[in-house]
Amino acid sequence: MSSAPESTIQHTALWPQQPPALTTIDPPGRLVVPLGGGMEEPHAKPPGTAVRAGEALVRRSDELSHTPVAPISGTLGAVVQVMLSNGKRAWAVELAADKGAAEVSIPPAANGDRGDLVAWIERLRSLGVCANRHCSPDLIGQLNMAVSRPMEMVVCTVLDSDAGLRLNAAVAAHHAQRICAAVALLGRLTRARTAQVCVEAYAGPQWVKSLRTAADAADVRVIDLANDYPQSDPTLMIYSVADRRLRPGALPGSQGVLLLDAVAALAVGEAMLGRPHLSTPAAIHDHVDQRSLLLSVPVGMRLDDLLSAVGIGRQGVILRGGDLLRDIRLSGEAVIAGGELTLHVSPPELPNNPQPCIRCAWCMETCPTRVQPAVVLEAAQRGDHAMAQAAGIHACIDCGLCSHVCPSRLPLLGALRMMRGN
Amino acid sequence: MSQLEAPATAAAGKSQLHSGIEVGTFVSLQMLAAVFPLAAGFALFGWRALGTTVCVVASTLAAALLWRNIGWRGRQMRLWHCLWMAILVSLMLPAHLFSTKPIDGVVPWPILPAAGIMLAMVIWLLGGLGGHRIHPAVATVLILFALFEQTLTPRYVLRLDRLFWGDLLKAAAPGSVVLQRGAWVVVSKQPAGSAFDALAVVPAADKLLAYTSAQKRPDRASQTLQMLIRDDMPPLEDLVIAGQSSPIGNGSAIMIIVGGLFLLYRGLIDFRLPVLTLAAAVVAILVLPIPVVIADSGTHWHWLAFREHYLGWPTAITFMNYEILASPLLLTIFFLSNAPGLRPITRRGRAIFAVVLGMVSAVMQLYFFAPVGPYVALLLASLLTPMLDRTLRPRTLV
C-alpha cells in the first residue's frame, strides 16, 4: 500500500511536468567492456574471436561476480586495464563493433516460475547483470549473502542525489511494472518480510503515478522519504527505513536488507524476460552549458565517445562520476558499466587555497553520521590513526558535505580518504 | 535529445564542490548583524558614538597592519577579523570617550586609540580566528575596565528629539535641572531640559549592583526590593527599547535581539547558547540570595524563588528582567559567546558551556561586576571549552 503525503503542492514545482524519456545512444565502433574480477586477469576469449550481442566474453566466470556479455556483436580485442565510472580500475576487453550479427536469445523466465535463489543468481550472472555503485552496492554479492541468511526486507530506492539528474525517478516512471515485478521477485527469493520502493516525498505526481499503481498490483509497499543529500547512501537509507546501522563499505545484506536502485531493479526485470544486460541508463549534467541529459548507453562505452555523441566538449573540463560532492575524478578513458551512472562535466576550477581552520564546527554539524572531520584532518596532519578513530572515521560515508560547507576550504574529504587508506 | 532544465542548485561558486561561503563571508555576516545594535547606538548616543567607533576601528586596523609583520603570529592575523573585533570593542565602550574635555579629571579620548592598539596586540598574542580560547575583544575591554573603571561608566543618553546629531556631553549637571521621573520618551519632552541635548542618567546596572551587593546604605530606615524597583530603577521599556545610559551596543535590547535573530537565521550561531544561557541566568537570579530588605540593623538575604510572604512573583520577575536587561548579557550571548574557538564544538558541550555561562554571569552581576559581569563569566566559561571538546565527543551513527 502506498502512503502519499497529504500535500504535494509546494515541492512539485521543482519537478518537470512529465518524466522525460531516455535517449538511446548508438554504440560507437569500439567498446571496452569491463570483465570484473580482482587482481588477476580474467580468462577472456582470445583476441579475434567473433561474439554476438549477449554472448559471454570469458571462458570461465566462476571467480567473477557476473558473466560479462558483449553489448554488441563484434570482434574481441586485447584485455586491458580500464577505469570504471566509480574511479576504480578493472580488467576489460576491447570489442570492435560488427553490426551484422544477431543477438543471442535466452528464453524468458515463465510467469510464476519461482525457481530458487541460487538458480536466479546464476541466471542474473549469465545475463551480465551487474550493479556495484554507491547507492546500489554489489547486487550479486547481496544475493549470495541472502542464500545463507534470509533478508528482512528488500528496498528499491528511487531517490536521486541531484535534483537535476533524476535518473532513477525517470527510469522508475517509465518502467514501473518491470521494476515492481523485480522487487517482488527478489522479495520472494530472499524470503523477505517486506518488499518496498522508496520514492522522494513531494515528487511530481506524474513521476510516481505509474509506480504506485504497479506497486499496488505487485504487493510492494511505496515509502515516501525526504531526499536531503545524501539520503540515498546505503547507511542513511537503511537507518531511515529499517532503523539499523550499516557500517560504510559493508554490504546492506549484513543488516538483513537487500538494497538496490531503480536501474538495478530494471536490469533484474529485464533478466526476467531473458534479456541480457547490454545497455544501461546514465545521466550527464553539463555544468558548462547548464543542461542535463538522460541517456541509455551501451555497456562499455568510453566517456570520450559518449561526450562526443551528445555534443559536449571535452577540452579542459573536469569529469566526475557519481554524486558531485564525492569528487570522483574520471578520465575520458573511463567506461560506463555497472558502476556510477551519473556523470558531471564541470568547467576548469581555480586551485584551492585553504585557510586555517576557524573552529566553526560546520563540518561536524553537517556530517550526517556525526564524524568530526576537522579532528580527522588534524589527525591526518599528525599521522595519528588513534585520533582519527576517536573522531569517528569508521562512520564516514564519503558524502563530501564537510568539504562543501567548510568556509576555510579545507581538504576534509581528502584527509578522511587518506586516513582510511583509500 | 531528452533534456531536463538544470536548476541552479549545485553550480554556484568558483568550485562546483564548495558552497561558496568562505571565511570572509562568515565574518562579514557577523559584522552585518552588529549593524543593528550599532545603528541604535549611533541614534541614542549621537556623533560621539560614531567617532568612538571610527577611532577604535581605525587604530585597530593601523596597529594590525604593523603587527602582521611580526613573527609567525603576525601571519595569522587577518584584517577582516581585526575589523570585526574592533566593531565588537566599540559596541562595549561608552560614547562619551570621544571627547577632549576631562571627565572625572581624565581626558578620555586617548583610551580609544589605546583600545585599538591593545586589541591588535591581543589578537596577535592569541592567534587568528578560531585559534584563541579567550575572546580578544572581551580581554581588551576587561583590561580597559580594570584601568579606567570610572571613566568607562556610561552616564549620558540623548534626548528623543536630539537623536543622531545631538551632543552627548551637552547635558545638565546633576541636580542643576529638576526633571520628573518617567520613561525616557516622557522625560525627553520636558521643557526644563530642552536647553540640553542629553540626559544624565546613572546606569541601571550600577544601581542594581549597589543594592544586590549590599553596598548601598538606605536613605531611610530601610529599603526593600520593591522600593528599589519602584523608586530607583528606570521604567523597563527604557532598557528594552531605548533610553538608558549604556555602552554603545547595549542601548536597545530589541536591536541586539534583532541582530541575534539575524545570526540565527543565517546559521552563524547555535541557538543553544543564547537560549540556555538566558534560561540558566534567569534560574540563577531567582535562586541566588539577594537582599530583600536592607536596614541599618542589617541586611535580610533571601532567594526569590521561595519568596517571603511580602514578595510576589511580579516583584521577582521584574527584578530578574532588570538584571538581564541592565547588564550586557544579551550582547554577550548573541555576539560574543558564539565566537569560533570559544564555544565547544559539540552540542552537548555547548549546552553545558551555556549553562555555566548563564550561572556565572548571574553571580558576577549580582555580587561583583554588573557592568561587565557577563564578560568575566565568558572568560571563565571559555576555560572549560578544551575539556568539554575532549571529553564530550558526539556518538557516530554507526
Side-chain angles (χ1 to χ4, degrees):
Chain A
M1 296 291 291
S2 62
S3 56
E6 286 184 12
S7 166
T8 60
I9 295 174
Q10 65 184 100
H11 291 270
T12 55
L14 299 175
W15 293 73
Q17 190 72 12
Q18 295 288 340
L22 275 63
T23 301
T24 302
I25 300 294
D26 291 330
R30 175 175 161 267
L31 295 175
V32 185
V33 186
L35 299 174
M39 301 290 291
E40 288 193 17
E41 186 177 326
H43 299 278
K45 291 179 178 172
T49 307
V51 292
R52 289 178 295 163
E55 191 175 330
L57 295 174
V58 295
R59 287 172 291 188
R60 260 187 20 230
S61 63
D62 304 336
E63 304 95 20
L64 304 177
S65 60
H66 68 288
T67 304
V69 299
I72 54 174
S73 301
T75 308
L76 291 181
V79 173
V80 295
Q81 278 258 327
V82 72
M83 178 188 277
L84 302 177
S85 53
N86 55 12
K88 298 194 168 91
R89 299 202 73 84
W91 291 104
V93 65
E94 295 173 335
L95 178 64
D98 172 12
K99 297 185 183 176
E103 185 179 308
V104 165
S105 67
I106 295 177
N111 283 343
D113 179 11
R114 296 170 69 91
D116 65 350
L117 179 57
V118 174
W120 268 99
I121 292 173
E122 191 49 45
R123 184 184 180 89
L124 293 174
R125 289 182 69 239
S126 65
L127 289 172
V129 172
C130 166
N132 191 9
R133 47 189 164 270
H134 211 93
C135 59
S136 187
D138 195 4
L139 177 63
I140 301 296
Q142 291 187 71
L143 290 172
N144 282 325
M145 204 179 255
V147 171
S148 53
R149 60 170 286 182
M151 293 287 142
E152 299 252 356
M153 61 175 70
V154 173
V155 176
C156 174
T157 166
V158 185
L159 304 182
D160 296 291
S161 298
D162 193 328
L165 287 177
R166 297 194 195 277
L167 180 65
N168 280 300
V171 166
H174 291 297
H175 303 282
Q177 277 188 330
R178 217 163 291 167
I179 286 171
C180 290
V183 172
L185 171 70
L186 291 173
R188 287 196 299 274
L189 290 174
T190 58
R191 291 162 284 167
R193 280 191 293 165
T194 59
Q196 53 201 21
V197 173
C198 294
V199 299
E200 187 170 332
Y202 307 114
Q206 294 304 319
W207 288 68
V208 294
K209 185 175 160 188
S210 56
L211 188 67
R212 292 191 195 278
T213 308
D216 279 344
D219 200 23
V220 171
R221 286 179 67 196
V222 176
I223 307 287
D224 293 278
L225 274 185
N227 188 18
D228 295 322
Y229 177 79
Q231 180 60 52
S232 58
D233 183 271
T235 298
L236 298 184
M237 180 61 71
I238 287 173
Y239 184 70
S240 296
V241 302
D243 201 23
R244 291 177 191 182
R245 293 159 199 264
L246 175 72
R247 275 243 166 166
L251 281 181
S254 63
Q255 293 296 324
V257 177
L258 181 73
L259 180 68
L260 69 167
D261 62 8
V263 172
L266 176 62
V268 173
E270 295 280 303
M272 292 168 69
L273 300 173
R275 292 183 192 152
H277 188 57
L278 305 182
S279 65
T280 179
I284 300 178
H285 189 146
D286 182 2
H287 293 270
V288 178
D289 292 333
Q290 289 298 318
R291 58 183 180 136
S292 297
L293 306 166
L294 300 185
L295 311 164
S296 179
V297 177
V299 172
M301 189 166 188
R302 288 165 58 248
L303 291 188
D304 276 343
D305 295 333
L306 179 59
L307 294 177
S308 297
V310 298
I312 293 177
R314 179 72 183 91
Q315 279 296 330
V317 296
I318 300 174
L319 300 178
R320 293 188 176 97
D323 300 331
L324 179 65
L325 294 188
R326 294 188 197 274
D327 196 20
I328 300 172
R329 305 267 180 129
L330 305 175
S331 70
E333 297 296 317
V335 300
I336 301 273
E340 300 295 340
L341 301 176
T342 52
L343 179 67
H344 292 266
V345 181
S346 305
E349 293 167 3
L350 296 171
N352 187 25
N353 190 17
Q355 305 213 18
C357 175
I358 63 170
R359 299 182 62 85
C360 62
W362 282 1
C363 55
M364 287 182 49
E365 289 165 14
T366 308
C367 180
T369 54
R370 294 178 228 132
V371 178
Q372 299 178 72
V375 179
V376 175
L377 179 64
E378 189 177 345
Q381 289 171 325
R382 296 184 188 190
D384 188 344
H385 287 271
M387 190 178 180
Q389 284 296 328
I393 192 173
H394 59 275
C396 175
I397 60 173
D398 232 32
C399 63
L401 276 175
C402 47
S403 293
H404 178 68
V405 301
C406 179
S408 298
R409 291 183 178 258
L410 291 166
L412 296 171
L413 182 61
L416 285 157
R417 285 175 174 164
M418 192 188 91
M419 292 306 283
R420 280 207 315 259
N422 291 6
Chain B
M1 190 77 65
S2 68
Q3 297 188 9
L4 291 171
E5 290 299 317
T9 51
K14 295 173 192 166
S15 167
Q16 296 294 322
L17 304 182
H18 194 256
S19 62
I21 297 183
E22 300 186 341
V23 182
T25 316
F26 179 89
V27 173
S28 59
L29 286 171
Q30 300 270 1
M31 289 194 282
L32 193 60
V35 165
F36 292 97
L38 205 58
F42 292 162
L44 292 169
F45 307 112
W47 52 269
R48 290 191 188 268
L50 179 62
T52 299
T53 304
V54 169
C55 268
V56 172
V57 168
S59 55
T60 303
L61 292 178
L65 282 171
L66 289 173
W67 280 84
R68 281 175 69 181
N69 301 314
I70 302 176
W72 62 269
R73 289 182 191 273
R75 285 191 288 277
Q76 291 184 347
M77 294 177 74
R78 297 285 182 270
L79 285 180
W80 33 253
H81 179 228
C82 296
L83 174 62
W84 175 27
M85 292 294 114
I87 291 176
L88 290 178
V89 167
S90 66
L91 287 176
M92 294 190 272
L93 294 176
H96 66 257
L97 295 180
F98 189 68
S99 165
T100 55
K101 295 180 196 168
I103 297 177
D104 291 341
V106 174
V107 177
W109 72 264
I111 294 176
L112 299 176
I117 295 168
M118 192 187 320
L119 176 63
M121 291 166 63
V122 169
I123 292 173
W124 179 90
L125 198 62
L126 295 176
L129 182 58
H132 49 75
R133 295 296 192 184
I134 298 174
H135 203 298
V138 169
T140 303
V141 167
L142 287 177
I143 294 171
L144 290 174
F145 187 80
L147 296 171
F148 307 106
E149 181 182 351
Q150 282 303 316
T151 312
L152 289 181
T153 302
R155 48 197 80 195
Y156 307 108
V157 64
L158 291 177
R159 289 164 50 100
L160 178 61
D161 52 348
R162 309 288 162 92
L163 292 180
F164 288 107
W165 54 269
D167 185 355
L168 196 66
L169 293 182
K170 198 175 168 193
S176 63
V177 174
V178 177
L179 296 170
Q180 288 182 342
R181 286 190 70 246
W184 169 68
V185 292
V186 171
V187 175
S188 294
K189 291 176 186 168
Q190 293 183 23
S194 60
F196 305 96
D197 285 354
L199 305 168
V201 180
V202 175
D206 287 359
K207 294 180 190 175
L208 284 169
L209 180 63
Y211 182 85
T212 56
S213 57
Q215 294 169 6
K216 179 184 170 69
R217 302 320 312 162
D219 299 327
R220 290 159 280 209
S222 64
Q223 182 171 31
T224 63
L225 184 59
Q226 291 97 325
M227 288 162 70
L228 170 75
I229 293 174
R230 186 188 65 214
D231 300 333
D232 291 345
M233 296 303 294
L236 260 181
E237 57 258 37
D238 281 5
L239 297 170
V240 173
I241 303 171
Q244 277 295 293
S245 60
S246 68
I248 295 172
N250 219 36
S252 170
I254 282 186
M255 294 306 270
I256 295 174
I257 291 171
V258 168
L261 289 176
F262 174 80
L263 291 171
L264 276 168
Y265 168 69
R266 291 307 304 251
L268 294 171
I269 64 174
D270 188 340
F271 74 93
R272 288 171 189 82
L273 260 72
V275 169
L276 290 176
T277 305
L278 260 182
V282 163
V283 169
I285 289 170
L286 293 176
V287 166
L288 288 168
I290 63 158
V292 292
V293 178
I294 299 177
D296 285 333
S297 55
T299 304
H300 181 53
W301 296 80
H302 207 271
W303 52 5
L304 296 178
F306 293 93
R307 58 213 180 279
E308 295 281 354
H309 62 89
Y310 50 83
L311 273 181
W313 273 118
T315 304
I317 292 176
T318 305
F319 172 76
M320 179 265 297
N321 284 332
Y322 273 116
E323 283 288 344
I324 299 289
L325 294 170
S327 72
L329 183 63
L330 290 179
L331 192 72
T332 303
I333 62 179
F334 284 118
F335 290 92
L336 300 176
S337 66
N338 267 287
L342 216 65
R343 62 177 186 183
I345 53 178
T346 60
R347 291 172 192 174
R348 277 183 293 165
R350 287 177 193 170
I352 295 173
F353 175 84
V355 169
V356 169
L357 176 61
M359 289 171 58
V360 176
S361 288
V363 169
M364 292 292 157
Q365 278 174 229
L366 288 175
Y367 306 122
F368 301 106
F369 321 102
V372 294
Y375 304 151
V376 176
L378 183 61
L379 212 61
L380 296 174
S382 61
L383 297 176
L384 295 176
T385 300
M387 184 200 72
L388 290 172
D389 283 345
R390 240 192 335 269
T391 54
L392 293 175
R393 294 187 186 277
R395 278 193 297 264
T396 53
L397 186 68
V398 295

